[in-house]
Amino acid sequence: IVAALAGGNTVILKPATVAAPVAWLFAQAFWDAGVPKEALQVIITDRDALKVLTSAPAIKHIILTGGTDTAQNIARSNPSTPLSAASGDRDHAIMNVVASAFGNAGQKCSACSLLLVERSVYEDKNFREKLKDAATSMKVGSVWNPGNVVGPMITNGNDKLLKALELEQGESWLVPPQFLDKNKYVLAPTVKWGVRPGSYSFRTELFGPMLSVVCIENL
């Protein structure tokens, strides 16, 4: 909505029915801030009326945050109007996950130490292999080599991390732990698969280059 308004467009907001009260208060905040009601309108409607709205000639662009089926129905009923829909890009997600999980050797409070994925993604062999490839392709070693992405840990006595390197029931290694130096300061990116809520790796901040992948049924 903000992007469309900033671009000089008028906007019609059609929320899900259950979200109508929130959408109305949301729009009210815009109006109170000075956005004219002619520029931002809210419509609460059923599916049949929605078809009329999305195929109206006055509508120049449709932005959808709904499901794939809805997007396909809109595209079929009005193929000439540009449609922007939310879509999960798994390749970009994997790139961002490994950068967060293993950059700084995972030694930051904002590191992605837990990756929660829906079952359809978790069971996708292609996703699993791409995540493995991304983790194992990261260059590891001395910080004095600028080509390395993952450097040494600040200590080799991280008891929490060492305990997490032990598998619990149902867990396995997508990328097994491998120390690259005899003093065990440099741990290559490690990915634990099948971590469950309540397990040690799930509830403990490890502060090291280890990613725990958890399967969830839904958001």
Side-chain angles (χ1 to χ4, degrees), residues 12 16 34 41 44 63 66 69 73 122 145 170 174 183 198 201 206 211:
I12 297 176
Q41 301 172 36
I44 313 298
I63 300 176
D69 291 343
N73 289 335
Y122 182 85
N145 181 345
L174 179 63
N183 293 323
S201 297
L206 303 177
L211 175 67

Side-chain angles (χ1 to χ4, degrees), residues 79-140:
S80 61
T81 300
L83 172 65
S84 298
S87 176
D89 189 316
R90 295 186 183 183
D91 289 347
H92 279 116
I94 289 172
M95 291 170 59
N96 290 330
V97 165
V98 297
S100 177
F102 306 125
N104 297 301
Q107 300 174 113
K108 55 181 180 177
C109 296
S110 60
C112 177
S113 57
L114 281 175
L115 175 59
L116 279 64
V117 295
E118 289 189 299
R119 181 169 295 281
S120 60
V121 179
Y122 182 85
E123 295 178 347
D124 185 340
K125 292 182 180 179
N126 189 44
F127 177 83
R128 180 183 172 115
E129 289 304 311
K130 283 186 175 182
L131 177 60
K132 180 179 179 179
D133 289 345
T136 55
S137 67
M138 301 189 79
K139 294 185 178 180
V140 188

Side-chain angles (χ1 to χ4, degrees), residues 194-217:
V195 174
R196 300 173 182 175
S199 70
Y200 184 82
S201 297
F202 186 92
R203 55 187 170 84
T204 308
E205 185 179 29
L206 303 177
F207 222 59
M210 193 182 95
L211 175 67
S212 297
V213 183
V214 186
C215 176
I216 59 173
E217 295 302 325

Side-chain angles (χ1 to χ4, degrees), residues 14-175:
K14 188 277 169 192
T17 306
V18 293
V22 176
W24 183 258
L25 292 173
F26 182 73
Q28 186 70 54
F30 278 91
W31 296 329
D32 291 345
V35 174
K37 289 188 176 181
E38 293 80 6
L40 174 60
Q41 301 172 36
V42 181
I43 293 181
I44 313 298
T45 183
D46 58 23
R47 291 182 179 274
D48 291 335
L50 180 60
K51 293 179 181 178
V52 176
L53 177 65
T54 55
S55 59
I59 302 299
K60 303 302 181 184
H61 200 114
I62 301 169
I63 300 176
L64 172 75
T65 59
T68 303
D69 291 343
T70 302
Q72 292 174 340
N73 289 335
I74 292 175
R76 280 194 293 267
S77 64
N78 188 7
S80 61
T81 300
L83 172 65
S84 298
S87 176
D89 189 316
R90 295 186 183 183
D91 289 347
H92 279 116
I94 289 172
M95 291 170 59
N96 290 330
V97 165
V98 297
S100 177
F102 306 125
N104 297 301
Q107 300 174 113
K108 55 181 180 177
C109 296
S110 60
C112 177
S113 57
L114 281 175
L115 175 59
L116 279 64
V117 295
E118 289 189 299
R119 181 169 295 281
S120 60
V121 179
Y122 182 85
E123 295 178 347
D124 185 340
K125 292 182 180 179
N126 189 44
F127 177 83
R128 180 183 172 115
E129 289 304 311
K130 283 186 175 182
L131 177 60
K132 180 179 179 179
D133 289 345
T136 55
S137 67
M138 301 189 79
K139 294 185 178 180
V140 188
S142 170
V143 294
W144 299 111
N145 181 345
N148 290 331
V149 177
V150 184
M153 296 180 290
I154 197 170
T155 177
N156 60 357
N158 185 339
D159 293 338
K160 292 180 179 180
L161 176 62
L162 295 175
K163 180 175 175 59
L165 296 181
E166 302 172 5
L167 294 175
E168 296 185 60
Q169 184 177 1
E171 297 178 346
S172 62
W173 295 115
L174 179 63
V175 181

